[in-house]
Amino acid sequence: MLPLLHPALLLLLGATLTFRALRRALCRLPLPAHVRADPLRTWRWHNLLVSFAHSIVSGIWALLCVWQTPEMLVEIETAWSLSGYLLVCFSAGYFIHDTVDIVVSGQARASWEYLVHHVMAMGAFISGIFWSRFVGGGVLTLLVEVSNIFLTIRMMMKINNAQDLLLYKINKYVNLVMYFLFRLAPQAYLTYFFMQYVGQRSLGSFLLGILLMLDIMILIYFSRLLRSDFCPERVTSPQHKDKFLTE
């Protein structure tokens, strides 16, 4: 059972409130004209700004954790560092904040895929936060945030209808490379590692189940990315006008 007064609860609360404060501050920044004209795009823009900030901090932080504690690459269950532990708590706070933001803003239905992802991510982080197990696995999972830096740039440019800019065209190739290096490769490595727990009634088998579900989601997102950026549809159907929420 989770201790009701576990110190990590204060860390999670602090991280969540930090992202809430960050969102309020970012909302004061000027908006592109095309974004400002649509309330839905405005909300998504602010949501992505917070995500962008989280990706930069967490992505660099995860790389530093692996550099400082390289045993996390092989001792995924037992390797531990204070920096890695704080990173996992920090990112869990972001997922809590983003979940609340999506629900409170009335975008739960349109962004249900993000909600499912966040719930699974928080479920995976519980072992590291409350039992100090698989902290290394949590850090390796957060290497994906390096990829998310470029993915978020792509999504923000799409919201602003800036797909014809040279920056978008360059970023889509950089994003593809980063997707392989920091999303597909770490996910495949972690899945291989946790396959050792097949048939065992342990925390590792629970985490494997989450990983396999995330694998499916990541492959779906990857197919959407390729279709959208490299095999675009000739005409966007009216019923998918808000597709930028998830793509």
Side-chain angles (χ1 to χ4, degrees):
M1 295 180 63
L2 302 180
L4 295 179
L5 297 178
H6 196 287
L9 294 176
L10 292 177
L11 292 175
L12 292 175
L13 177 62
T16 302
L17 293 178
T18 296
F19 282 108
R20 177 60 183 171
L22 177 62
R23 190 188 192 286
R24 290 176 66 89
L26 293 175
C27 283
R28 298 181 180 181
L29 295 177
L31 293 169
H34 184 72
V35 173
R36 186 171 60 248
D38 185 341
L40 180 58
R41 289 177 184 268
T42 298
W43 170 80
R44 187 61 175 136
W45 183 269
H46 290 146
N47 179 268
L48 285 173
L49 279 177
V50 179
S51 176
F52 186 59
H54 169 255
S55 294
I56 292 175
V57 174
S58 293
I60 295 174
W61 194 346
L63 288 172
L64 288 174
C65 286
V66 173
W67 179 70
Q68 293 171 343
T69 314
E71 54 265 32
M72 286 185 174
L73 292 171
V74 290
E75 299 173 8
I76 292 175
E77 180 178 0
T78 58
W80 190 93
S81 71
L82 178 59
S83 180
Y85 180 79
L86 292 176
L87 169 60
V88 172
C89 291
F90 176 78
S91 289
Y94 164 73
F95 291 130
I96 294 171
H97 157 77
D98 199 49
T99 299
V100 173
D101 184 39
I102 290 172
V103 173
V104 171
S105 301
Q107 301 300 326
R109 183 175 180 180
S111 305
W112 66 269
E113 295 172 45
Y114 287 108
L115 294 178
V116 172
H117 171 271
H118 291 356
V119 169
M120 288 192 293
M122 287 185 286
F125 286 162
I126 284 176
S127 63
I129 294 172
F130 293 101
W131 295 295
S132 296
R133 292 180 60 193
F134 297 104
V135 171
V139 171
L140 293 184
T141 299
L142 289 168
L143 287 174
V144 71
E145 297 300 335
V146 178
S147 168
N148 282 345
I149 294 172
F150 303 93
L151 185 63
T152 304
I153 291 174
R154 168 189 175 273
M155 295 179 72
M156 294 181 73
M157 294 188 72
K158 289 193 71 173
I159 291 176
N160 197 30
N161 280 3
Q163 296 96 314
D164 294 330
L165 295 181
L166 178 61
L167 176 60
Y168 184 93
K169 296 176 181 179
I170 294 175
N171 183 73
K172 75 176 184 179
Y173 290 103
V174 176
N175 180 43
L176 187 64
V177 173
M178 293 299 173
Y179 204 101
F180 272 106
L181 293 178
F182 292 100
R183 186 179 292 261
L184 294 178
Q187 193 73 14
Y189 176 69
L190 286 169
T191 301
Y192 172 78
F193 174 86
F194 280 102
M195 287 296 291
Q196 302 174 62
Y197 293 92
V198 173
Q200 299 181 27
R201 293 185 178 182
S202 66
L203 184 60
S205 59
F206 166 74
L207 295 176
L208 173 62
I210 292 179
L211 270 175
L212 292 176
M213 288 187 285
L214 287 173
D215 287 346
I216 294 173
M217 294 186 72
I218 285 174
L219 290 175
I220 292 174
Y221 289 153
F222 185 55
S223 67
R224 289 179 182 176
L225 176 66
L226 293 177
R227 185 172 64 248
S228 177
D229 276 356
F230 300 96
C231 304
E233 298 175 352
R234 288 176 297 178
V235 179
T236 302
S237 303
Q239 63 267 31
H240 296 308
K241 63 184 180 66
D242 296 333
K243 214 169 185 180
F244 60 83
L245 285 172
T246 56
E247 291 192 8

